[in-house]
Amino acid sequence: MEDADSFLFKFKGYHFGREELDIGFIENLDDFVIRESDVFIITYPKSGTSWFQQLLSLIYFEEHRKGIGNLETVDRVPFFEYNFRKMDFVERPSPRLFATHLPYYLVPRGLKNKKAKIIYIYRNPKDVMCSYFHFSKNVTLQVTSSFEEFMEQFLEGKVLGSLWFDHIKGWYEHKSLFNIQFLMYEEMKKDLKGSLSKVCKFLGKELSEEEMDSIVRQATFQNMKYDPRANYKNIIKTRYGLEAKGHFLRKGTIGDWKNHMTVEQNERFDKIFQRKMKDFPLKFIWDMNEE
C-alpha cells in the first residue's frame, strides 16, 4: 500500500480521507445543529452505504421513485463529513438525510437527544475487507499492493474509517445514547422487502404495497449498478479521474471473501475476530447459504 499518511488525516484517533475534507467543519462537528427530523445512515466503509442512500432516496422522494427527477442519490443523501458538492447543510429543507462513516464519539452532540434517527448498517468484516481492497485498488487508486498487505492495513485500522472492530463496537456499546436501529447488510440481501418494512416502521413512513414493490425493484443491486443516479459513475469520473477502472458498486455478494482469502488468512482473521468480538451480541452471516 502507498504511504497511508498521504491520503489519511487522523483526528481524535480516527482516520478521515484527506480528499474533500473540510478540517474546519470536522473540528466543529460537535456543535452542528441537529433537527429532530434528521436521518443519518451510519456505516463502516463498504458496508452498504450507496445501497442505503438509494433506498432512502426511494423512500423519501416520490420523484426519485417514479424516475422523474434526475438528482443523484449523493445529492439527496449527501455525505456528512465529505461534502464534495459544497452544499449548505443549514439551508437544506427538512427532513435532511445524511450518510456518514463517523465513529460514535465524533457525531454532533445533538444526536444524543434521541430525537433524530440513525440507521447503522453492518456487514460481515471479511466481505467488507475484500470489497474495500478492490475499491482502494481500482477506484480511489490508493492501493498498489497485494491483498495480503491490504489485510494488514485493515487489521491495523490504517484505512479510512479506522478499525472495523472499534467502529461497530463503539456504536453498539453506546446505542443507549441514540435513537438508533441496527440493520444487517446480509439480511437486506436475503429479504429486502422485510428490511424495507422494518426501516419504514422505524422512520415512521407509511408506503403503499405498490410503492414498496417499486422500491424493492429499483433497489436491487443489479438495477442500482446500472442506474446513473445511484452508481456514483459521474462522481468517480470527477473525483478520481478516468484511470479509475472499478465501480463503486462491484459485486455486493455475501461470501466473496472465499474468493480472496487463503485458509491461513481466514484462520488468522477468525482468531482476531473471536478475540475482539467475544460476547458481542449482534450476529453475522458469512455465507449466502447460512441462516
Side-chain angles (χ1 to χ4, degrees):
M1 178 169 288
E2 303 298 89
D3 176 25
D5 292 336
S6 63
F7 61 87
L8 293 178
F9 175 77
K10 197 171 187 180
F11 178 73
K12 296 188 177 175
Y14 176 80
H15 283 124
F16 289 91
R18 282 187 187 277
E19 202 173 22
E20 310 294 350
L21 191 66
D22 178 343
I23 310 290
F25 181 69
I26 295 305
E27 287 175 340
N28 294 289
L29 274 178
D30 205 37
D31 300 323
F32 182 85
V33 178
I34 294 291
R35 299 177 196 161
E36 290 184 16
S37 57
D38 287 347
V39 177
F40 280 77
I41 306 164
I42 296 183
T43 57
Y44 184 85
K46 310 315 294 171
S47 301
T49 324
S50 311
W51 192 9
F52 221 85
Q53 281 171 299
Q54 170 75 330
L55 212 55
L56 272 197
S57 300
L58 291 164
I59 290 169
Y60 276 90
F61 302 104
E62 189 180 3
E63 67 271 25
H64 197 80
R65 216 162 39 237
K66 291 185 172 171
I68 305 163
N70 277 327
L71 257 190
E72 292 180 28
T73 54
V74 75
D75 294 313
R76 297 190 187 277
V77 190
F79 255 96
F80 187 58
E81 66 269 40
Y82 302 109
N83 186 7
F84 44 86
R85 295 285 215 229
K86 307 288 182 259
M87 294 178 183
D88 184 342
F89 292 157
V90 177
E91 292 299 313
R92 279 180 83 80
S94 295
R96 295 181 303 186
L97 312 172
F98 295 109
T100 179
H101 296 319
L102 288 171
Y104 80 93
Y105 62 88
L106 285 180
V107 295
R109 64 172 174 266
L111 274 172
K112 292 179 186 168
N113 71 11
K114 296 193 186 179
K115 289 185 174 150
K117 295 181 170 74
I118 295 172
I119 297 167
Y120 186 99
I121 302 141
Y122 66 99
R123 182 183 188 185
N124 92 62
K126 292 178 189 176
D127 280 337
V128 167
M129 180 174 66
C130 295
S131 176
Y132 210 157
F133 170 68
H134 283 281
F135 180 71
S136 302
K137 197 174 180 73
N138 297 326
V139 179
T140 62
L141 309 173
Q142 288 166 352
V143 169
T144 54
S145 59
S146 64
F147 178 73
E148 172 89 23
E149 287 169 296
F150 182 77
M151 182 169 161
E152 291 308 311
Q153 300 283 140
F154 183 83
L155 290 171
E156 288 169 19
K158 287 186 179 168
V159 289
L160 188 159
S162 289
L163 194 60
W164 178 87
F165 300 100
D166 291 349
H167 198 277
I168 187 169
K169 282 165 75 179
W171 273 106
Y172 192 81
E173 286 163 6
H174 295 86
K175 67 183 190 296
S176 61
L177 300 174
F178 305 98
N179 181 12
I180 188 168
Q181 181 180 58
F182 287 81
L183 197 65
M184 194 202 297
Y185 177 96
E186 289 81 4
E187 268 183 6
M188 286 169 62
K189 288 290 291 184
K190 284 169 175 274
D191 179 13
L192 186 52
K193 193 166 185 181
S195 297
L196 177 62
S197 299
K198 204 187 284 187
V199 167
C200 286
K201 189 178 177 189
F202 176 68
L203 296 173
K205 298 291 287 180
E206 285 186 28
L207 297 171
S208 69
E209 198 66 25
E210 194 184 345
E211 288 169 327
M212 295 278 277
D213 289 339
S214 170
I215 291 173
V216 168
R217 190 173 61 252
Q218 292 182 68
T220 62
F221 196 85
Q222 242 8 64
N223 283 344
M224 271 183 63
K225 194 163 180 175
Y226 300 103
D227 181 347
R229 300 173 308 168
N231 65 15
Y232 275 63
K233 193 175 180 181
N234 298 330
I235 291 158
I236 289 175
K237 211 180 289 179
T238 313
R239 288 181 72 193
Y240 305 116
L242 296 170
E243 316 88 74
K245 321 186 270 294
H247 300 275
F248 238 82
L249 307 171
R250 194 179 63 92
K251 277 190 180 178
T253 52
I254 302 173
D256 191 39
W257 60 269
K258 292 176 180 178
N259 300 317
H260 294 77
M261 298 174 78
T262 63
V263 172
E264 194 182 357
Q265 286 169 345
N266 187 43
E267 284 173 356
R268 179 163 175 251
F269 197 102
D270 283 346
K271 271 185 195 158
I272 294 167
F273 184 88
Q274 282 150 19
R275 188 176 74 243
K276 288 188 176 281
M277 304 300 280
K278 191 172 180 286
D279 303 326
F280 189 71
L282 291 179
K283 66 170 185 163
F284 293 88
I285 291 178
W286 306 94
D287 186 288
M288 195 62 202
N289 303 316
E290 201 178 324
E291 283 309 314

